[in-house]
Amino acid sequence: MTVSSPDHLDDTDLAAWLVRAAGTLANGMRSGVTTFEEKTSISDVVTAADHAAEKLVVATLRELRPDDSILGEEGSSHQGTSGRTWVIDPVDGTYNFLTGGHYWCSALALTDDDGSRLGAVYHPAEDVLWIGGRDLPTARNGLPVGEIASAPLSASCAAAYLHHTYLRDEAAGEPYLRTLLGSATYRSWGSASCELAATAAGLFGVWYQQGLPDWDWLPGQALVEAAGGTTAVVDVGGYRWSVAGGRQQVAEVVSLLQG
């Protein structure tokens, strides 16, 4: 992999460099990755590409932002002193990555004491970089995506997912079904950050899942909010749901989840 040096970049440009470098590295390893480890299930896996991409990002941040904290999906952790944290998902959608699907990406977020500062997502299959955050309107390959439209849920496509094991529990399955039936239609790509980036661009009117860790939620949350959308996290029946999209769509999903 050949990439230019990230030295002397500001946070925005560094975030862009990191996700592009991680995604490029993982993509270059893809044909050679034939083995994996299960984490929680056969659909939740990790490969050598995940580890290599996270190692690259962590090494770069430790050199260039030594005072910042780091939280990585694949176990990387560093406690800094700056009050800022880089949250890393080196390969989001690893099952798709492993099985030949296109919907996987590299993602990260930068947070501080006031919440999300920045989110970045790189989708290698399309060579598309999404970036946005506080005082930085979301852009797709450098072009602003515009403002997310607020519209009725019944006229909107939802991006939604609930692992089939939770469908057996009415406390999760019934709220999920209510929201799906309230939308015009729905899709599930298998990568939260890919779906949230698409939501920021208005392809989906709303997105929601339950039980998300920070690395699956914070990069896309920043993109949606920087595109004029809104987000919410609500507890329903012992399950925590994350919701993002247009203002009316999010309000209606939250109401339906709560019953």
Side-chain angles (χ1 to χ4, degrees):
M1 180 186 64
T2 301
V3 292
S4 59
S5 171
D7 295 350
H8 311 302
L9 297 179
D10 64 16
D11 289 335
T12 300
D13 289 339
L14 178 59
W17 188 95
L18 288 168
V19 291
R20 188 180 290 276
T24 300
L25 174 61
N27 199 42
M29 296 178 65
R30 195 176 189 192
S31 62
V33 172
T34 58
T35 60
F36 62 91
E37 299 173 24
E38 289 186 29
K39 293 195 286 187
T40 61
S41 71
I42 187 60
S43 62
D44 181 19
V45 297
V46 61
T47 71
D50 297 73
H51 290 299
E54 182 161 303
K55 183 178 179 180
L56 181 153
V57 174
V58 170
T60 304
L61 287 171
R62 293 291 289 119
E63 178 182 356
L64 300 181
R65 299 293 189 273
D67 296 330
D68 290 352
S69 298
I70 296 172
L71 175 65
E73 179 181 11
E74 308 311 336
S76 297
S77 178
H78 169 69
Q79 186 62 47
T81 59
S82 67
R84 297 163 20 122
T85 301
W86 296 84
V87 181
I88 308 162
D89 194 344
V91 179
D92 179 45
T94 300
Y95 186 81
N96 294 341
F97 173 87
L98 182 65
T99 57
H102 294 303
Y103 288 115
W104 66 273
C105 64
S106 294
L108 64 75
L110 174 60
T111 70
D112 60 20
D113 292 338
D114 295 322
S116 294
R117 289 177 58 93
L118 187 66
V121 171
Y122 178 60
H123 184 208
E126 295 181 300
D127 189 23
V128 168
L129 173 71
W130 309 80
I131 195 159
R134 197 179 302 159
D135 302 319
L136 180 69
T138 299
R140 179 185 186 275
N141 281 352
L143 299 177
V145 300
E147 188 165 329
I148 296 175
S150 177
L153 180 62
S154 60
S156 301
C157 179
Y161 173 73
L162 181 66
H163 195 276
H164 67 276
T165 55
Y166 295 112
L167 286 171
R168 299 188 180 99
D169 185 350
E170 292 182 357
E174 288 189 357
Y176 180 67
L177 182 60
R178 284 198 299 269
T179 59
L180 290 186
L181 293 175
S183 66
T185 186
Y186 74 98
R187 300 289 184 271
S188 182
W189 288 352
S191 166
S193 288
C194 282
E195 292 171 346
L196 280 160
T199 302
L203 180 59
F204 302 123
V206 68
W207 172 99
Y208 51 97
Q209 287 189 28
Q210 76 83 26
L212 283 186
D214 284 347
W215 47 77
D216 282 334
W217 170 237
L218 296 177
Q221 179 195 29
L223 295 179
V224 169
E225 292 180 352
T230 190
T231 66
V233 178
V234 294
D235 291 311
V236 178
Y239 291 94
R240 173 160 290 191
W241 295 85
S242 300
V243 189
R247 295 185 179 278
Q248 183 173 350
Q249 294 96 318
V250 168
E252 290 188 35
V253 166
V254 169
S255 178
L256 288 167
L257 287 172
Q258 294 175 331

